PDB file of all heavy atoms in Angstrom:
ATOM      1  N   MET C 809      -4.657  -1.547  29.914  1.00  0.00           N
ATOM      2  CA  MET C 809      -5.350  -1.431  31.203  1.00  0.00           C
ATOM      3  C   MET C 809      -4.368  -1.670  32.358  1.00  0.00           C
ATOM      4  O   MET C 809      -4.286  -0.894  33.307  1.00  0.00           O
ATOM      5  CB  MET C 809      -6.509  -2.451  31.245  1.00  0.00           C
ATOM      6  CG  MET C 809      -7.146  -2.641  32.604  1.00  0.00           C
ATOM      7  SD  MET C 809      -7.685  -1.118  33.423  1.00  0.00           S
ATOM      8  CE  MET C 809      -9.098  -0.640  32.454  1.00  0.00           C
ATOM      9  N   LEU C 843      -9.068  -2.253  37.330  1.00  0.00           N
ATOM     10  CA  LEU C 843      -9.554  -1.026  37.977  1.00  0.00           C
ATOM     11  C   LEU C 843     -11.074  -1.067  38.048  1.00  0.00           C
ATOM     12  O   LEU C 843     -11.744  -1.205  37.020  1.00  0.00           O
ATOM     13  CB  LEU C 843      -9.102   0.193  37.157  1.00  0.00           C
ATOM     14  CG  LEU C 843      -9.577   1.557  37.647  1.00  0.00           C
ATOM     15  CD1 LEU C 843      -8.960   1.908  38.996  1.00  0.00           C
ATOM     16  CD2 LEU C 843      -9.220   2.651  36.638  1.00  0.00           C
ATOM     17  N   GLY C 844     -11.611  -0.939  39.249  1.00  0.00           N
ATOM     18  CA  GLY C 844     -13.065  -1.029  39.432  1.00  0.00           C
ATOM     19  C   GLY C 844     -13.689   0.278  39.872  1.00  0.00           C
ATOM     20  O   GLY C 844     -13.640   0.634  41.053  1.00  0.00           O
ATOM     21  N   MET C 845     -14.263   0.976  38.916  1.00  0.00           N
ATOM     22  CA  MET C 845     -15.001   2.203  39.242  1.00  0.00           C
ATOM     23  C   MET C 845     -16.505   1.941  39.071  1.00  0.00           C
ATOM     24  O   MET C 845     -17.299   2.260  39.930  1.00  0.00           O
ATOM     25  CB  MET C 845     -14.614   3.330  38.285  1.00  0.00           C
ATOM     26  CG  MET C 845     -13.214   3.850  38.446  1.00  0.00           C
ATOM     27  SD  MET C 845     -13.125   5.422  37.553  1.00  0.00           S
ATOM     28  CE  MET C 845     -11.719   5.168  36.589  1.00  0.00           C
ATOM     29  N   THR C 846     -16.870   1.361  37.909  1.00  0.00           N
ATOM     30  CA  THR C 846     -18.284   1.206  37.557  1.00  0.00           C
ATOM     31  C   THR C 846     -18.984   0.190  38.450  1.00  0.00           C
ATOM     32  O   THR C 846     -18.404  -0.835  38.814  1.00  0.00           O
ATOM     33  CB  THR C 846     -18.390   0.759  36.076  1.00  0.00           C
ATOM     34  OG1 THR C 846     -17.627   1.673  35.282  1.00  0.00           O
ATOM     35  CG2 THR C 846     -19.824   0.742  35.594  1.00  0.00           C
ATOM     36  N   THR C 850     -24.379   2.458  38.811  1.00  0.00           N
ATOM     37  CA  THR C 850     -23.829   3.741  38.348  1.00  0.00           C
ATOM     38  C   THR C 850     -22.520   3.586  37.574  1.00  0.00           C
ATOM     39  O   THR C 850     -21.642   2.819  37.970  1.00  0.00           O
ATOM     40  CB  THR C 850     -23.643   4.734  39.520  1.00  0.00           C
ATOM     41  OG1 THR C 850     -23.331   6.014  38.997  1.00  0.00           O
ATOM     42  CG2 THR C 850     -22.548   4.311  40.494  1.00  0.00           C
ATOM     43  N   GLY C 851     -22.449   4.335  36.467  1.00  0.00           N
ATOM     44  CA  GLY C 851     -21.228   4.319  35.654  1.00  0.00           C
ATOM     45  C   GLY C 851     -20.735   5.733  35.430  1.00  0.00           C
ATOM     46  O   GLY C 851     -19.733   6.167  35.995  1.00  0.00           O
ATOM     47  N   SER C 852     -21.505   6.492  34.649  1.00  0.00           N
ATOM     48  CA  SER C 852     -21.083   7.867  34.333  1.00  0.00           C
ATOM     49  C   SER C 852     -20.987   8.725  35.586  1.00  0.00           C
ATOM     50  O   SER C 852     -20.082   9.554  35.707  1.00  0.00           O
ATOM     51  CB  SER C 852     -22.086   8.516  33.362  1.00  0.00           C
ATOM     52  OG  SER C 852     -22.187   7.753  32.194  1.00  0.00           O
ATOM     53  N   PHE C 876     -18.480  -4.639  34.712  1.00  0.00           N
ATOM     54  CA  PHE C 876     -17.779  -4.323  33.453  1.00  0.00           C
ATOM     55  C   PHE C 876     -16.276  -4.157  33.684  1.00  0.00           C
ATOM     56  O   PHE C 876     -15.656  -3.277  33.050  1.00  0.00           O
ATOM     57  CB  PHE C 876     -18.308  -3.016  32.830  1.00  0.00           C
ATOM     58  CG  PHE C 876     -19.778  -2.997  32.519  1.00  0.00           C
ATOM     59  CD1 PHE C 876     -20.562  -1.880  32.804  1.00  0.00           C
ATOM     60  CD2 PHE C 876     -20.385  -4.088  31.915  1.00  0.00           C
ATOM     61  CE1 PHE C 876     -21.917  -1.848  32.506  1.00  0.00           C
ATOM     62  CE2 PHE C 876     -21.748  -4.060  31.617  1.00  0.00           C
ATOM     63  CZ  PHE C 876     -22.508  -2.936  31.913  1.00  0.00           C
ATOM     64  N   ILE C 877     -15.699  -4.954  34.556  1.00  0.00           N
ATOM     65  CA  ILE C 877     -14.288  -4.727  34.872  1.00  0.00           C
ATOM     66  C   ILE C 877     -13.379  -5.435  33.858  1.00  0.00           C
ATOM     67  O   ILE C 877     -13.351  -6.667  33.786  1.00  0.00           O
ATOM     68  CB  ILE C 877     -13.962  -5.159  36.330  1.00  0.00           C
ATOM     69  CG1 ILE C 877     -14.936  -4.444  37.295  1.00  0.00           C
ATOM     70  CG2 ILE C 877     -12.511  -4.860  36.691  1.00  0.00           C
ATOM     71  CD1 ILE C 877     -15.039  -2.928  37.114  1.00  0.00           C
ATOM     72  N   THR C 878     -12.651  -4.628  33.100  1.00  0.00           N
ATOM     73  CA  THR C 878     -11.716  -5.145  32.091  1.00  0.00           C
ATOM     74  C   THR C 878     -10.628  -5.950  32.792  1.00  0.00           C
ATOM     75  O   THR C 878     -10.043  -5.472  33.767  1.00  0.00           O
ATOM     76  CB  THR C 878     -11.087  -3.969  31.303  1.00  0.00           C
ATOM     77  OG1 THR C 878     -12.137  -3.272  30.637  1.00  0.00           O
ATOM     78  CG2 THR C 878     -10.058  -4.432  30.291  1.00  0.00           C
ATOM     79  N   LYS C 921     -19.622 -10.721  24.981  1.00  0.00           N
ATOM     80  CA  LYS C 921     -19.649  -9.340  24.487  1.00  0.00           C
ATOM     81  C   LYS C 921     -19.791  -9.269  22.963  1.00  0.00           C
ATOM     82  O   LYS C 921     -19.566 -10.248  22.261  1.00  0.00           O
ATOM     83  CB  LYS C 921     -18.342  -8.616  24.896  1.00  0.00           C
ATOM     84  CG  LYS C 921     -18.059  -8.627  26.395  1.00  0.00           C
ATOM     85  CD  LYS C 921     -16.929  -7.669  26.741  1.00  0.00           C
ATOM     86  CE  LYS C 921     -15.582  -8.017  26.151  1.00  0.00           C
ATOM     87  NZ  LYS C 921     -14.825  -9.020  26.920  1.00  0.00           N
ATOM     88  N   THR C 929     -14.201  -9.372  30.608  1.00  0.00           N
ATOM     89  CA  THR C 929     -14.881  -8.255  31.288  1.00  0.00           C
ATOM     90  C   THR C 929     -15.867  -8.920  32.238  1.00  0.00           C
ATOM     91  O   THR C 929     -16.644  -9.771  31.798  1.00  0.00           O
ATOM     92  CB  THR C 929     -15.666  -7.389  30.270  1.00  0.00           C
ATOM     93  OG1 THR C 929     -14.782  -7.023  29.205  1.00  0.00           O
ATOM     94  CG2 THR C 929     -16.228  -6.140  30.913  1.00  0.00           C
ATOM     95  N   VAL C1078     -17.400  -0.291  21.586  1.00  0.00           N
ATOM     96  CA  VAL C1078     -17.271   0.020  23.015  1.00  0.00           C
ATOM     97  C   VAL C1078     -16.366   1.225  23.278  1.00  0.00           C
ATOM     98  O   VAL C1078     -16.409   1.841  24.341  1.00  0.00           O
ATOM     99  CB  VAL C1078     -16.774  -1.221  23.799  1.00  0.00           C
ATOM    100  CG1 VAL C1078     -15.291  -1.473  23.587  1.00  0.00           C
ATOM    101  CG2 VAL C1078     -17.089  -1.078  25.273  1.00  0.00           C
ATOM    102  N   ILE C1081     -17.984   4.097  24.564  1.00  0.00           N
ATOM    103  CA  ILE C1081     -18.695   3.906  25.848  1.00  0.00           C
ATOM    104  C   ILE C1081     -17.742   3.935  27.047  1.00  0.00           C
ATOM    105  O   ILE C1081     -17.966   4.667  28.012  1.00  0.00           O
ATOM    106  CB  ILE C1081     -19.487   2.568  25.820  1.00  0.00           C
ATOM    107  CG1 ILE C1081     -20.556   2.618  24.717  1.00  0.00           C
ATOM    108  CG2 ILE C1081     -20.109   2.282  27.190  1.00  0.00           C
ATOM    109  CD1 ILE C1081     -21.231   1.286  24.421  1.00  0.00           C
ATOM    110  N   TYR C1082     -16.663   3.114  26.983  1.00  0.00           N
ATOM    111  CA  TYR C1082     -15.850   3.049  28.214  1.00  0.00           C
ATOM    112  C   TYR C1082     -14.856   4.207  28.321  1.00  0.00           C
ATOM    113  O   TYR C1082     -14.714   5.002  27.395  1.00  0.00           O
ATOM    114  CB  TYR C1082     -15.186   1.682  28.400  1.00  0.00           C
ATOM    115  CG  TYR C1082     -14.270   1.160  27.315  1.00  0.00           C
ATOM    116  CD1 TYR C1082     -13.648   1.976  26.385  1.00  0.00           C
ATOM    117  CD2 TYR C1082     -13.998  -0.206  27.245  1.00  0.00           C
ATOM    118  CE1 TYR C1082     -12.798   1.462  25.426  1.00  0.00           C
ATOM    119  CE2 TYR C1082     -13.148  -0.738  26.280  1.00  0.00           C
ATOM    120  CZ  TYR C1082     -12.562   0.110  25.386  1.00  0.00           C
ATOM    121  OH  TYR C1082     -11.727  -0.395  24.438  1.00  0.00           O
ATOM    122  N   GLY C1083     -14.222   4.291  29.504  1.00  0.00           N
ATOM    123  CA  GLY C1083     -13.299   5.408  29.750  1.00  0.00           C
ATOM    124  C   GLY C1083     -14.055   6.727  29.904  1.00  0.00           C
ATOM    125  O   GLY C1083     -13.476   7.807  29.780  1.00  0.00           O
ATOM    126  N   GLY C1084     -15.363   6.651  30.180  1.00  0.00           N
ATOM    127  CA  GLY C1084     -16.241   7.834  30.166  1.00  0.00           C
ATOM    128  C   GLY C1084     -16.882   7.883  28.796  1.00  0.00           C
ATOM    129  O   GLY C1084     -16.166   7.873  27.781  1.00  0.00           O
ATOM    130  N   THR C1085     -18.229   7.898  28.733  1.00  0.00           N
ATOM    131  CA  THR C1085     -18.883   7.870  27.413  1.00  0.00           C
ATOM    132  C   THR C1085     -18.542   9.150  26.636  1.00  0.00           C
ATOM    133  O   THR C1085     -18.151  10.158  27.236  1.00  0.00           O
ATOM    134  CB  THR C1085     -20.428   7.777  27.555  1.00  0.00           C
ATOM    135  OG1 THR C1085     -20.894   8.979  28.168  1.00  0.00           O
ATOM    136  CG2 THR C1085     -20.852   6.571  28.369  1.00  0.00           C
ATOM    137  N   GLU C1087     -20.558  11.140  25.393  1.00  0.00           N
ATOM    138  CA  GLU C1087     -21.442  12.244  25.832  1.00  0.00           C
ATOM    139  C   GLU C1087     -20.819  12.927  27.058  1.00  0.00           C
ATOM    140  O   GLU C1087     -20.800  14.153  27.151  1.00  0.00           O
ATOM    141  CB  GLU C1087     -22.841  11.702  26.198  1.00  0.00           C
ATOM    142  CG  GLU C1087     -23.640  11.179  25.002  1.00  0.00           C
ATOM    143  CD  GLU C1087     -23.142   9.839  24.474  1.00  0.00           C
ATOM    144  OE1 GLU C1087     -22.670   9.011  25.286  1.00  0.00           O
ATOM    145  OE2 GLU C1087     -23.208   9.612  23.254  1.00  0.00           O
ATOM    146  N   ILE C1088     -20.271  12.117  27.968  1.00  0.00           N
ATOM    147  CA  ILE C1088     -19.635  12.693  29.173  1.00  0.00           C
ATOM    148  C   ILE C1088     -18.402  13.516  28.773  1.00  0.00           C
ATOM    149  O   ILE C1088     -18.128  14.569  29.342  1.00  0.00           O
ATOM    150  CB  ILE C1088     -19.290  11.587  30.209  1.00  0.00           C
ATOM    151  CG1 ILE C1088     -20.586  10.950  30.749  1.00  0.00           C
ATOM    152  CG2 ILE C1088     -18.409  12.116  31.338  1.00  0.00           C
ATOM    153  CD1 ILE C1088     -21.506  11.883  31.536  1.00  0.00           C
ATOM    154  N   VAL C1091     -19.723  16.778  27.747  1.00  0.00           N
ATOM    155  CA  VAL C1091     -20.166  17.541  28.921  1.00  0.00           C
ATOM    156  C   VAL C1091     -18.952  18.237  29.546  1.00  0.00           C
ATOM    157  O   VAL C1091     -18.980  19.431  29.868  1.00  0.00           O
ATOM    158  CB  VAL C1091     -20.846  16.597  29.958  1.00  0.00           C
ATOM    159  CG1 VAL C1091     -21.036  17.305  31.301  1.00  0.00           C
ATOM    160  CG2 VAL C1091     -22.187  16.086  29.446  1.00  0.00           C
TER     161      VAL C1091
HETATM  162  C1  FAD L 159     -16.143  -3.711  27.604  1.00  0.00           C
HETATM  163  C2  FAD L 159     -16.220  -2.743  28.738  1.00  0.00           C
HETATM  164  C3  FAD L 159     -15.109  -2.580  29.551  1.00  0.00           C
HETATM  165  C4  FAD L 159     -15.171  -1.714  30.648  1.00  0.00           C
HETATM  166  N1  FAD L 159     -14.101  -1.634  31.502  1.00  0.00           N
HETATM  167  C5  FAD L 159     -14.249  -0.975  32.675  1.00  0.00           C
HETATM  168  C6  FAD L 159     -13.241  -1.053  33.676  1.00  0.00           C
HETATM  169  O1  FAD L 159     -12.196  -1.686  33.508  1.00  0.00           O
HETATM  170  N2  FAD L 159     -13.439  -0.414  34.848  1.00  0.00           N
HETATM  171  C7  FAD L 159     -14.579   0.307  35.094  1.00  0.00           C
HETATM  172  O2  FAD L 159     -14.698   0.853  36.182  1.00  0.00           O
HETATM  173  N3  FAD L 159     -15.547   0.407  34.161  1.00  0.00           N
HETATM  174  C8  FAD L 159     -15.420  -0.227  32.973  1.00  0.00           C
HETATM  175  N4  FAD L 159     -16.406  -0.170  32.011  1.00  0.00           N
HETATM  176  C9  FAD L 159     -17.596   0.611  32.308  1.00  0.00           C
HETATM  177  C10 FAD L 159     -17.729   1.866  31.485  1.00  0.00           C
HETATM  178  O3  FAD L 159     -16.750   2.799  31.848  1.00  0.00           O
HETATM  179  C11 FAD L 159     -19.166   2.384  31.666  1.00  0.00           C
HETATM  180  O4  FAD L 159     -20.010   1.469  30.997  1.00  0.00           O
HETATM  181  C12 FAD L 159     -19.347   3.796  31.172  1.00  0.00           C
HETATM  182  O5  FAD L 159     -18.646   4.720  31.986  1.00  0.00           O
HETATM  183  C13 FAD L 159     -20.824   4.204  31.138  1.00  0.00           C
HETATM  184  O6  FAD L 159     -21.457   3.913  32.333  1.00  0.00           O
HETATM  185  P1  FAD L 159     -22.842   3.106  32.316  1.00  0.00           P
HETATM  186  O7  FAD L 159     -22.640   1.857  31.524  1.00  0.00           O
HETATM  187  O8  FAD L 159     -23.316   2.961  33.703  1.00  0.00           O
HETATM  188  O9  FAD L 159     -23.834   4.033  31.499  1.00  0.00           O
HETATM  189  P2  FAD L 159     -24.760   5.178  32.093  1.00  0.00           P
HETATM  190  O10 FAD L 159     -23.999   6.061  32.970  1.00  0.00           O
HETATM  191  O11 FAD L 159     -25.984   4.526  32.642  1.00  0.00           O
HETATM  192  O12 FAD L 159     -25.134   5.979  30.769  1.00  0.00           O
HETATM  193  C14 FAD L 159     -26.169   5.550  29.865  1.00  0.00           C
HETATM  194  C15 FAD L 159     -26.286   6.608  28.750  1.00  0.00           C
HETATM  195  O13 FAD L 159     -26.616   7.874  29.326  1.00  0.00           O
HETATM  196  C16 FAD L 159     -25.686   8.868  28.922  1.00  0.00           C
HETATM  197  N5  FAD L 159     -25.479   9.851  29.985  1.00  0.00           N
HETATM  198  C17 FAD L 159     -25.212   9.619  31.299  1.00  0.00           C
HETATM  199  N6  FAD L 159     -25.025  10.784  31.944  1.00  0.00           N
HETATM  200  C18 FAD L 159     -25.144  11.772  31.013  1.00  0.00           C
HETATM  201  C19 FAD L 159     -25.052  13.207  31.049  1.00  0.00           C
HETATM  202  N7  FAD L 159     -24.749  13.864  32.173  1.00  0.00           N
HETATM  203  N8  FAD L 159     -25.240  13.897  29.905  1.00  0.00           N
HETATM  204  C20 FAD L 159     -25.525  13.244  28.741  1.00  0.00           C
HETATM  205  N9  FAD L 159     -25.629  11.911  28.651  1.00  0.00           N
HETATM  206  C21 FAD L 159     -25.436  11.175  29.762  1.00  0.00           C
HETATM  207  C22 FAD L 159     -24.399   8.081  28.628  1.00  0.00           C
HETATM  208  O14 FAD L 159     -23.545   8.817  27.781  1.00  0.00           O
HETATM  209  C23 FAD L 159     -24.957   6.819  27.999  1.00  0.00           C
HETATM  210  O15 FAD L 159     -25.214   7.064  26.638  1.00  0.00           O
HETATM  211  C24 FAD L 159     -16.356  -0.980  30.894  1.00  0.00           C
HETATM  212  C25 FAD L 159     -17.462  -1.120  30.040  1.00  0.00           C
HETATM  213  C26 FAD L 159     -17.409  -1.994  28.986  1.00  0.00           C
HETATM  214  C27 FAD L 159     -18.638  -2.168  28.131  1.00  0.00           C
END
Side-chain angles (χ1 to χ4, degrees):
M809 169 52 71
L843 177 67
M845 291 195 231
T846 308
T850 190
S852 302
F876 302 137
I877 306 309
T878 298
K921 304 191 296 277
T929 308
V1078 76
I1081 297 170
Y1082 58 22
T1085 65
E1087 292 74 34
I1088 294 296
V1091 168

